[in-house]
Amino acid sequence: MSFLIAESLDDALAAIAAGARPIAGGTDLVVGARHGKEALPDELVAIDRIDQLAEIGPGPGGIRIGALVTHATLMTDPLVVAEFTALADAAALVGSPSTRHVGTLGGNVMNASPAMDTGAPLMVLGAVADLQSVGGSRSVPLDELWTGPGTTSAQADELLIGVTLSSAPQRSGSAYVRLEYRRAMEIAVVGAAAAVTLGDDGTIAAAEVALSAVAPTVLLVEGVGDALVGRDPESAASAAAGLAGEQASPISDLRASDSYRRHCVGVMAKRAVVAAARRAAGEDIAVPVNRSIGIGAA
Amino acid sequence: MSESFDLEVNGVAYPVSVDQSRNLLSVIREEIGLTGTKEGCDDCECGACMVLLDGQPVNSCSYLAVQAQGRSITTVEGVMQGDEMHVLQRKLLEEGGVQCGFCTPGMIMSAHALLDRTANPTPEDVRIGLSGNLCRCTGYAKILAAVEHAAAELG
Ligand SMILES: Cc1cc2nc3c(=O)[nH]c(=O)nc-3n(C[C@H](O)[C@H](O)[C@H](O)COP(=O)(O)OP(=O)(O)OC[C@H]3O[C@@H](n4cnc5c(N)ncnc54)[C@H](O)[C@@H]3O)c2cc1C
């Protein structure tokens, strides 16, 4: 095994071009290896000291959130909390304080678990993944990045340097809600994110909903815009619940049956739309929604 | 492959020579000889192995020792102030927040990180701060009380 600590982005890109796997916080990679899920890669390059990847701020095409931003930062960063609230909701639910201080957004995205918490928020907020290699850079929409449980369309020599999001118009809000059996150290049984913009009359002007842990990848629900626009938030939320239940293709495992997941993801979608609409209307619902209005815990 | 480097633990630089796949916990316990930090689940679930890395909590069972070089590590041995117990240690004893004691070092490190970043934590802040630490004997109430009292004393 070889282990290199990259001092710069160029160092890291060169190392992965030569075959090394990036490690950020290691909370998926090392924990998985110790579990025996997958052996530790032969060559690792630690990217956790590349400070430029830990920044949040204006980038080409929107606000760039660097791949090394930790969950602890996401849940408290004033810009993220104000503009991309669903992402802060999700980060605040990850593991425990140690997981949140060590675990990164980039690791969460590239680990590509369908149960990942930041995925559904990023999808409804229209984030794109910014990939870079020695050969160049490209941006990929998230539904093209995630190809299955634990797999992405990124090449082995591409590093995720961050995600780029656009600020939403006035009277917009977002929320992420997850069903959990306990309040910490939990994996989503199912989860749902919603982003909503309200019109002057208080009805829905635009909306997106995405789901976690009910399909091989995080799932952007189709037809949400058409079904929700023009409705008041309560009836829009019910419509979202129906679409979520129809489009989910959950599995049964020791945590929940497929039918329970299908039912509950509708409930979560409904609650996410309601919370997002309340935030869009200017209500201050503290991060994470799960704790502040008790809508995630079983 | 084995690698030689320094690990800074409680302000002391310890030269170590270990396989790159070794976890930080085993290096702290077996190479450096500081056995206050415990191995419980060895799977990031129980928090007995909690140490601070540049002041932030990390599960040392699942963190590579090589990745900790250049950072400053604090273990439970590093929280004493000279011969004086840290206020968290004192309050845990006073409240009876220690029974078998196995979870205590991890609890102290998580609480330490919480108190460092949060002045006047609410009871809810304390519960969240300790949410990565399991205790199988006290029932938690006395541990939570000890941390709240320590926070009050620190002001
Ligand atoms: C106790 C515990 C609780 C957890 N709870 C949750 C939870 O509630 N919700 C949740 O979603 N997750 C949870 N996780 C999973 C994990 O903490 C997160 O997915 C975290 O964000 C991973 O980040 P990391 O930096 O530690 O990733 P690493 O383990 O360092 O990397 C993960 C994968 O991504 C790759 N990678 C990392 N960074 C990049 C990059 N910039 N470009 C390309 N590839 C990259 C690595 O090669 C590896 O394959 C939990 C984990 C633990 C141990």
Short mmCIF file of all heavy atoms in Angstrom, two decimals, chain A residues 61-104:
data_model
loop_
_atom_site.label_atom_id
_atom_site.label_comp_id
_atom_site.label_asym_id
_atom_site.label_seq_id
_atom_site.Cartn_x
_atom_site.Cartn_y
_atom_site.Cartn_z
N GLY A 61 -20.43 30.14 -12.81
CA GLY A 61 -21.78 29.58 -13.00
C GLY A 61 -22.64 29.47 -11.75
O GLY A 61 -23.69 28.85 -11.79
N GLY A 62 -22.21 30.04 -10.64
CA GLY A 62 -23.05 29.98 -9.44
C GLY A 62 -22.22 29.93 -8.18
O GLY A 62 -21.06 30.34 -8.18
N ILE A 63 -22.84 29.40 -7.12
CA ILE A 63 -22.11 29.28 -5.86
C ILE A 63 -21.44 27.92 -5.84
O ILE A 63 -22.10 26.88 -6.02
CB ILE A 63 -23.08 29.36 -4.65
CG1 ILE A 63 -23.97 30.60 -4.73
CG2 ILE A 63 -22.29 29.26 -3.34
CD1 ILE A 63 -23.44 31.82 -4.09
N ARG A 64 -20.15 27.91 -5.62
CA ARG A 64 -19.41 26.66 -5.57
C ARG A 64 -19.23 26.24 -4.11
O ARG A 64 -18.79 27.03 -3.27
CB ARG A 64 -18.05 26.86 -6.25
CG ARG A 64 -16.91 25.96 -5.86
CD ARG A 64 -16.93 24.60 -6.52
NE ARG A 64 -16.90 24.59 -7.98
CZ ARG A 64 -15.81 24.80 -8.72
NH1 ARG A 64 -14.65 25.06 -8.18
NH2 ARG A 64 -15.89 24.73 -10.03
N ILE A 65 -19.61 25.01 -3.81
CA ILE A 65 -19.31 24.44 -2.50
C ILE A 65 -18.24 23.39 -2.72
O ILE A 65 -18.44 22.41 -3.45
CB ILE A 65 -20.56 23.79 -1.85
CG1 ILE A 65 -21.70 24.83 -1.75
CG2 ILE A 65 -20.22 23.23 -0.47
CD1 ILE A 65 -22.97 24.29 -1.10
N GLY A 66 -17.07 23.61 -2.14
CA GLY A 66 -15.93 22.74 -2.37
C GLY A 66 -16.17 21.33 -1.84
O GLY A 66 -16.91 21.13 -0.87
N ALA A 67 -15.52 20.37 -2.48
CA ALA A 67 -15.72 18.96 -2.13
C ALA A 67 -15.32 18.66 -0.69
O ALA A 67 -15.83 17.73 -0.07
CB ALA A 67 -14.93 18.08 -3.09
N LEU A 68 -14.37 19.44 -0.15
CA LEU A 68 -13.88 19.14 1.20
C LEU A 68 -14.67 19.82 2.30
O LEU A 68 -14.33 19.68 3.48
CB LEU A 68 -12.41 19.56 1.32
CG LEU A 68 -11.42 18.70 0.58
CD1 LEU A 68 -10.01 19.21 0.84
CD2 LEU A 68 -11.53 17.25 1.00
N VAL A 69 -15.71 20.56 1.93
CA VAL A 69 -16.53 21.18 2.98
C VAL A 69 -17.16 20.06 3.81
O VAL A 69 -17.71 19.10 3.26
CB VAL A 69 -17.61 22.09 2.35
CG1 VAL A 69 -18.59 22.57 3.41
CG2 VAL A 69 -16.95 23.27 1.66
N THR A 70 -17.02 20.16 5.11
CA THR A 70 -17.53 19.09 5.98
C THR A 70 -19.01 19.31 6.29
O THR A 70 -19.54 20.42 6.14
CB THR A 70 -16.77 19.05 7.32
OG1 THR A 70 -17.00 20.28 7.99
CG2 THR A 70 -15.28 18.83 7.12
N HIS A 71 -19.64 18.25 6.77
CA HIS A 71 -21.05 18.38 7.17
C HIS A 71 -21.20 19.39 8.30
O HIS A 71 -22.19 20.13 8.34
CB HIS A 71 -21.60 17.02 7.60
CG HIS A 71 -21.57 16.00 6.50
ND1 HIS A 71 -22.40 16.07 5.41
CD2 HIS A 71 -20.79 14.91 6.31
CE1 HIS A 71 -22.15 15.06 4.60
NE2 HIS A 71 -21.17 14.34 5.11
N ALA A 72 -20.20 19.45 9.19
CA ALA A 72 -20.28 20.41 10.31
C ALA A 72 -20.32 21.84 9.78
O ALA A 72 -21.02 22.70 10.31
CB ALA A 72 -19.09 20.22 11.25
N THR A 73 -19.57 22.11 8.71
CA THR A 73 -19.59 23.45 8.11
C THR A 73 -20.90 23.68 7.36
O THR A 73 -21.52 24.74 7.48
CB THR A 73 -18.39 23.63 7.16
OG1 THR A 73 -17.20 23.50 7.94
CG2 THR A 73 -18.41 25.00 6.50
N LEU A 74 -21.33 22.68 6.59
CA LEU A 74 -22.57 22.86 5.81
C LEU A 74 -23.75 23.21 6.69
O LEU A 74 -24.59 24.03 6.33
CB LEU A 74 -22.92 21.56 5.06
CG LEU A 74 -22.12 21.21 3.81
CD1 LEU A 74 -22.59 19.84 3.30
CD2 LEU A 74 -22.29 22.26 2.73
N MET A 75 -23.84 22.59 7.87
CA MET A 75 -25.04 22.80 8.70
C MET A 75 -25.06 24.15 9.39
O MET A 75 -26.10 24.56 9.89
CB MET A 75 -25.19 21.67 9.72
CG MET A 75 -24.11 21.63 10.77
SD MET A 75 -24.23 20.17 11.85
CE MET A 75 -25.32 20.83 13.11
N THR A 76 -23.90 24.84 9.39
CA THR A 76 -23.85 26.13 10.09
C THR A 76 -23.48 27.31 9.17
O THR A 76 -23.62 28.45 9.57
CB THR A 76 -22.83 26.11 11.24
OG1 THR A 76 -21.59 25.61 10.72
CG2 THR A 76 -23.29 25.21 12.38
N ASP A 77 -22.98 27.03 7.98
CA ASP A 77 -22.54 28.12 7.12
C ASP A 77 -23.72 29.05 6.79
O ASP A 77 -24.75 28.58 6.29
CB ASP A 77 -21.95 27.55 5.82
CG ASP A 77 -21.47 28.65 4.90
OD1 ASP A 77 -20.36 29.15 5.13
OD2 ASP A 77 -22.22 29.03 3.97
N PRO A 78 -23.60 30.35 7.05
CA PRO A 78 -24.75 31.24 6.87
C PRO A 78 -25.31 31.24 5.44
O PRO A 78 -26.53 31.27 5.25
CB PRO A 78 -24.19 32.62 7.23
CG PRO A 78 -22.97 32.36 8.04
CD PRO A 78 -22.43 31.04 7.60
N LEU A 79 -24.44 31.18 4.45
CA LEU A 79 -24.91 31.18 3.06
C LEU A 79 -25.69 29.89 2.75
O LEU A 79 -26.76 29.92 2.14
CB LEU A 79 -23.71 31.33 2.11
CG LEU A 79 -24.03 31.34 0.62
CD1 LEU A 79 -24.76 32.62 0.23
CD2 LEU A 79 -22.77 31.18 -0.21
N VAL A 80 -25.15 28.76 3.18
CA VAL A 80 -25.82 27.47 2.92
C VAL A 80 -27.16 27.44 3.65
O VAL A 80 -28.19 27.06 3.07
CB VAL A 80 -24.92 26.28 3.34
CG1 VAL A 80 -25.67 24.96 3.17
CG2 VAL A 80 -23.63 26.27 2.54
N VAL A 81 -27.15 27.85 4.91
CA VAL A 81 -28.40 27.81 5.69
C VAL A 81 -29.44 28.73 5.05
O VAL A 81 -30.62 28.38 4.96
CB VAL A 81 -28.13 28.20 7.16
CG1 VAL A 81 -29.44 28.38 7.93
CG2 VAL A 81 -27.27 27.12 7.84
N ALA A 82 -29.03 29.90 4.57
CA ALA A 82 -30.00 30.85 4.01
C ALA A 82 -30.48 30.42 2.63
O ALA A 82 -31.67 30.47 2.34
CB ALA A 82 -29.37 32.24 3.93
N GLU A 83 -29.57 29.98 1.78
CA GLU A 83 -29.93 29.78 0.37
C GLU A 83 -30.19 28.32 0.01
O GLU A 83 -30.96 28.04 -0.90
CB GLU A 83 -28.79 30.28 -0.52
CG GLU A 83 -28.44 31.73 -0.27
CD GLU A 83 -28.74 32.60 -1.48
OE1 GLU A 83 -29.14 32.05 -2.52
OE2 GLU A 83 -28.58 33.82 -1.36
N PHE A 84 -29.49 27.42 0.68
CA PHE A 84 -29.58 26.00 0.31
C PHE A 84 -29.95 25.19 1.56
O PHE A 84 -29.27 24.24 1.94
CB PHE A 84 -28.25 25.53 -0.30
CG PHE A 84 -27.73 26.45 -1.37
CD1 PHE A 84 -26.49 27.09 -1.24
CD2 PHE A 84 -28.49 26.71 -2.51
CE1 PHE A 84 -26.03 27.96 -2.23
CE2 PHE A 84 -28.02 27.58 -3.51
CZ PHE A 84 -26.79 28.20 -3.36
N THR A 85 -31.05 25.63 2.19
CA THR A 85 -31.39 25.15 3.52
C THR A 85 -31.54 23.63 3.59
O THR A 85 -31.17 23.01 4.60
CB THR A 85 -32.69 25.83 4.01
OG1 THR A 85 -32.68 27.18 3.53
CG2 THR A 85 -32.78 25.84 5.51
N ALA A 86 -32.07 23.03 2.54
CA ALA A 86 -32.25 21.56 2.56
C ALA A 86 -30.91 20.85 2.74
O ALA A 86 -30.83 19.80 3.39
CB ALA A 86 -32.92 21.09 1.27
N LEU A 87 -29.86 21.43 2.17
CA LEU A 87 -28.54 20.82 2.28
C LEU A 87 -28.04 20.90 3.72
O LEU A 87 -27.44 19.95 4.25
CB LEU A 87 -27.58 21.54 1.32
CG LEU A 87 -26.19 20.97 1.13
CD1 LEU A 87 -26.24 19.51 0.69
CD2 LEU A 87 -25.41 21.80 0.11
N ALA A 88 -28.32 22.01 4.38
CA ALA A 88 -27.95 22.15 5.80
C ALA A 88 -28.78 21.18 6.65
O ALA A 88 -28.24 20.54 7.57
CB ALA A 88 -28.16 23.59 6.26
N ASP A 89 -30.08 21.03 6.33
CA ASP A 89 -30.92 20.05 7.03
C ASP A 89 -30.28 18.66 6.97
O ASP A 89 -30.25 17.93 7.96
CB ASP A 89 -32.29 19.91 6.34
CG ASP A 89 -33.26 21.05 6.63
OD1 ASP A 89 -33.18 21.66 7.71
OD2 ASP A 89 -34.13 21.30 5.76
N ALA A 90 -29.82 18.30 5.78
CA ALA A 90 -29.27 16.96 5.57
C ALA A 90 -27.95 16.79 6.33
O ALA A 90 -27.74 15.80 7.03
CB ALA A 90 -29.05 16.71 4.08
N ALA A 91 -27.06 17.78 6.19
CA ALA A 91 -25.74 17.67 6.83
C ALA A 91 -25.88 17.54 8.34
O ALA A 91 -25.12 16.80 8.99
CB ALA A 91 -24.90 18.90 6.48
N ALA A 92 -26.87 18.22 8.90
CA ALA A 92 -27.05 18.20 10.35
C ALA A 92 -27.50 16.84 10.87
O ALA A 92 -27.43 16.57 12.07
CB ALA A 92 -28.06 19.27 10.77
N LEU A 93 -27.99 15.97 9.96
CA LEU A 93 -28.46 14.65 10.39
C LEU A 93 -27.39 13.58 10.29
O LEU A 93 -27.56 12.47 10.79
CB LEU A 93 -29.66 14.22 9.52
CG LEU A 93 -30.90 15.10 9.58
CD1 LEU A 93 -31.98 14.53 8.65
CD2 LEU A 93 -31.43 15.22 10.99
N VAL A 94 -26.28 13.90 9.62
CA VAL A 94 -25.27 12.87 9.36
C VAL A 94 -24.62 12.42 10.67
O VAL A 94 -24.12 13.24 11.44
CB VAL A 94 -24.19 13.39 8.38
CG1 VAL A 94 -23.02 12.42 8.30
CG2 VAL A 94 -24.80 13.62 7.00
N GLY A 95 -24.65 11.12 10.93
CA GLY A 95 -23.89 10.48 12.01
C GLY A 95 -23.94 11.18 13.35
O GLY A 95 -24.99 11.37 13.94
N SER A 96 -22.76 11.57 13.80
CA SER A 96 -22.59 12.23 15.10
C SER A 96 -21.63 13.40 14.87
O SER A 96 -21.13 13.58 13.76
CB SER A 96 -21.99 11.24 16.08
OG SER A 96 -20.64 11.01 15.74
N PRO A 97 -21.33 14.19 15.92
CA PRO A 97 -20.41 15.32 15.68
C PRO A 97 -19.09 14.89 15.03
O PRO A 97 -18.58 15.60 14.15
CB PRO A 97 -20.19 15.88 17.09
CG PRO A 97 -21.48 15.60 17.80
CD PRO A 97 -21.91 14.24 17.28
N SER A 98 -18.55 13.75 15.42
CA SER A 98 -17.27 13.35 14.81
C SER A 98 -17.45 13.05 13.32
O SER A 98 -16.62 13.46 12.50
CB SER A 98 -16.63 12.17 15.54
OG SER A 98 -17.51 11.08 15.59
N THR A 99 -18.51 12.35 12.96
CA THR A 99 -18.76 12.06 11.54
C THR A 99 -18.91 13.36 10.77
O THR A 99 -18.41 13.51 9.65
CB THR A 99 -20.07 11.25 11.35
OG1 THR A 99 -20.28 10.41 12.47
CG2 THR A 99 -20.03 10.44 10.09
N ARG A 100 -19.59 14.32 11.37
CA ARG A 100 -19.84 15.58 10.66
C ARG A 100 -18.58 16.44 10.55
O ARG A 100 -18.44 17.20 9.59
CB ARG A 100 -20.95 16.37 11.36
CG ARG A 100 -22.29 15.63 11.31
CD ARG A 100 -23.44 16.52 11.69
NE ARG A 100 -23.53 16.79 13.11
CZ ARG A 100 -24.23 16.06 13.98
NH1 ARG A 100 -24.86 14.97 13.57
NH2 ARG A 100 -24.29 16.40 15.25
N HIS A 101 -17.68 16.34 11.52
CA HIS A 101 -16.45 17.13 11.44
C HIS A 101 -15.45 16.52 10.46
O HIS A 101 -14.63 17.22 9.89
CB HIS A 101 -15.80 17.27 12.82
CG HIS A 101 -16.40 18.40 13.59
ND1 HIS A 101 -17.21 18.21 14.68
CD2 HIS A 101 -16.35 19.74 13.40
CE1 HIS A 101 -17.62 19.40 15.13
NE2 HIS A 101 -17.12 20.33 14.37
N VAL A 102 -15.49 15.21 10.30
CA VAL A 102 -14.51 14.55 9.45
C VAL A 102 -15.08 14.29 8.05
O VAL A 102 -14.39 14.45 7.05
CB VAL A 102 -14.05 13.22 10.11
CG1 VAL A 102 -13.05 12.50 9.21
CG2 VAL A 102 -13.44 13.48 11.48
N GLY A 103 -16.35 13.93 7.98
CA GLY A 103 -16.96 13.56 6.70
C GLY A 103 -17.20 14.77 5.83
O GLY A 103 -17.57 15.85 6.30
N THR A 104 -17.00 14.59 4.52
CA THR A 104 -17.08 15.72 3.59
C THR A 104 -18.25 15.56 2.61
O THR A 104 -18.73 14.45 2.36
CB THR A 104 -15.79 15.85 2.76
OG1 THR A 104 -15.64 14.66 1.96
CG2 THR A 104 -14.57 16.03 3.65
#
